[in-house]
Amino acid sequence: MIKAGIIGATGYAGVELVRILLGHSEVEKIYVSSVSFEGQNLVDVYPNLGGQFGSKMDGLLLTADEVTEKSDIVFTALPHGIAEKYADYCVKNGKKLIDLSADFRFGMDEETFKKWYKKDWEFPEVHRESVYGLPEMNRDDIKKARVIGNPGCYVTSATLALLPALKGGIIETSTIIVDSYSGVSGAGRSPTETNSFCTCGESLTAYKVGAHRHQPEIQRNCTIAANAANKDVGIIFTPHLAPISRGILTTIYAPLKVDFAERIAKQAKEAGISESAVVNNMYRDFYSKEHFVRVLPNGQTPQSKNVRFTNYCDIQAFVVNNGKTLQLVSTLDNMIKGASGQAVQNMNLMFGFDEAEGINFVPSAF
């Protein structure tokens, strides 16, 4: 049994961590902090948690230092550029940390982090301890890590969709188009004009076109997956805001390599199936041992409602444009597999728990 702490517990990702960890059989105590509500009780901020704490927590919002001292593992759900000092403390004091910001998502590449997040590293040495926390890519390293950089929500949906194609070397990588739609919770809890009802209700909008901070993270993952040591994979990423509370739907377009396109056309003809089915079979084989990635039956399109409040990512592949282009569709819950659920999945791996413990939610029908 372990004691878990959450710094930034009153944000959306933080309170989702509370909700998940309350149902986790290996967590005996939960400590929480919030700069905005320090000294208050979490129930005062989120009344839905009334009567749910039991013996695991009292809900009192402590200081971040108090939470760090009391916990075996610390989750930092904070703005970018703040988690380093807590990671440094944890490493030096035999504790573990999972950060949900971007601070530890770029390995030792401080230059890229500084370019996109406009911050310098204050504790560069602690980054040597960090592992990128996408289990489907880095499971073995996560098990040994003391610091985890939890992936971005858009990034998870794009990377999981592209991973089999990149690992299999079946697509050209000079230009991959990634279009993603996110629920409003992705903008965070703080009210702004962008996430107000009158602005985003009954409306779809593209935003930060060519300038979203998840673009370099997607590019980094794809370059690693494609083993393109001498050339970055080309990513054109466009995020969109959708008038839903939670969920991400991503559609990706990538040219098939000519030799692979010819090969799958031949296989499809011989087997009496579609070219899309050939690729989907390849995807099923790739993810056959992954509990939280579901490759859907041929022709079935992913829907965000089918993964709401779960740690699943649903994927479907289509071969389009007269057999020349791979079109991928993926969906996940941006607050669960895109944030807090994936963080708990990483915690499970770090402590040797069942990987699905606490996050094996059954999807709702509606």
Side-chain angles (χ1 to χ4, degrees):
M1 301 283 282
I2 62 171
K3 296 170 183 161
I6 303 165
I7 302 176
T10 54
Y12 286 150
V15 77
E16 280 289 73
L17 278 167
V18 171
R19 184 177 69 86
I20 293 169
L21 294 176
L22 282 170
H24 198 293
S25 67
E26 299 288 351
V27 175
E28 61 177 337
K29 291 291 182 182
I30 303 170
Y31 304 104
V32 290
S33 78
S34 169
V35 172
S36 302
F37 298 93
E38 187 176 306
Q40 298 184 46
N41 196 287
L42 190 59
V43 172
D44 298 330
V45 186
Y46 289 103
N48 61 299
L49 294 174
Q52 302 301 310
F53 295 159
S55 62
K56 282 196 175 185
M57 62 185 298
D58 57 18
L60 182 64
L61 290 161
L62 308 170
T63 68
D65 288 343
E66 288 174 318
V67 167
T68 306
E69 290 169 6
K70 290 173 178 287
S71 304
D72 301 310
I73 183 164
V74 175
F75 296 91
T76 44
L78 298 166
H80 309 296
I82 301 176
E84 277 183 296
K85 64 179 180 180
Y86 300 111
D88 184 66
Y89 175 88
C90 287
V91 167
K92 290 177 179 176
N93 289 275
K95 301 170 184 286
K96 300 182 181 184
L97 180 138
I98 297 174
D99 177 43
L100 279 74
S101 79
D103 291 9
F104 295 99
R105 293 178 183 169
F106 295 94
M108 292 302 295
D109 186 0
E110 183 180 4
E111 182 180 350
T112 298
F113 177 80
K114 184 176 179 179
K115 175 183 176 182
W116 287 87
Y117 291 90
K118 311 305 180 188
K119 292 179 181 291
D120 293 313
W121 286 350
E122 295 181 26
F123 299 85
E125 286 304 311
V126 79
H127 289 267
R128 299 186 186 279
E129 296 283 347
S130 69
V131 170
Y132 187 72
L134 187 62
E136 293 79 8
M137 279 186 74
N138 293 329
R139 182 171 283 105
D140 290 341
D141 289 336
I142 291 168
K143 290 178 180 179
K144 298 176 287 187
R146 293 195 284 179
V147 176
I148 294 291
N150 215 58
C153 50
Y154 283 130
V155 183
T156 299
S157 68
T159 303
L160 291 178
L162 281 163
L163 204 53
L166 291 166
K167 290 275 191 181
I170 70 172
I171 56 175
E172 301 290 350
T173 59
S174 58
T175 305
I176 298 173
I177 298 172
V178 180
D179 290 334
S180 292
Y181 294 78
S182 174
V184 183
S185 57
R189 185 172 184 269
S190 299
T192 65
E193 181 181 354
T194 300
N195 60 20
S196 70
F197 178 80
C198 290
T199 299
C200 61
E202 303 297 326
S203 177
L204 289 168
T205 182
Y207 68 100
K208 294 184 180 177
V209 177
H212 196 281
R213 290 167 164 178
H214 284 186
Q215 185 273 329
E217 191 181 341
I218 296 171
Q219 184 178 48
R220 176 182 171 84
N221 288 353
C222 290
T223 300
I224 291 170
N227 196 25
N230 298 318
K231 185 178 180 182
D232 285 343
V233 171
I235 298 292
I236 299 174
F237 173 57
T238 306
H240 302 74
L241 188 64
I244 57 176
S245 62
R246 60 199 300 155
I248 283 179
L249 185 79
T250 294
T251 305
I252 299 170
Y253 310 86
L256 286 166
K257 289 184 176 178
V258 174
D259 60 338
F260 181 78
E262 293 172 349
R263 189 160 75 248
I264 63 167
K266 181 180 179 182
Q267 291 175 3
K269 184 176 181 180
E270 290 174 350
I273 59 176
S274 68
E275 295 168 351
S276 297
V278 174
V279 177
N280 270 300
N281 288 339
M282 183 192 82
Y283 265 62
R284 270 186 215 95
D285 289 343
F286 186 91
Y287 282 125
S288 61
K289 295 181 181 179
E290 294 295 344
H291 183 83
F292 291 114
V293 180
R294 304 189 300 189
V295 180
L296 300 182
N298 296 331
Q300 185 175 323
T301 305
Q303 300 180 58
S304 63
K305 74 179 184 68
N306 292 333
V307 295
R308 275 171 57 88
F309 297 101
T310 80
N311 202 53
Y312 288 109
C313 177
D314 286 356
I315 299 173
Q316 180 65 279
F318 301 91
V319 177
V320 298
N321 190 25
N322 296 316
K324 298 176 184 176
T325 304
L326 178 64
Q327 184 173 356
L328 302 163
V329 182
S330 68
T331 188
L332 52 76
D333 186 314
N334 59 304
M335 290 286 105
I336 308 297
K337 183 60 174 170
S340 304
Q342 184 146 260
V344 174
Q345 187 178 358
N346 284 320
M347 181 194 79
N348 289 339
L349 290 168
M350 294 169 83
F351 284 92
F353 304 147
D354 185 304
E355 190 170 335
E357 173 57 38
I359 49 175
N360 200 20
F361 307 117
V362 176
S364 173
F366 54 89

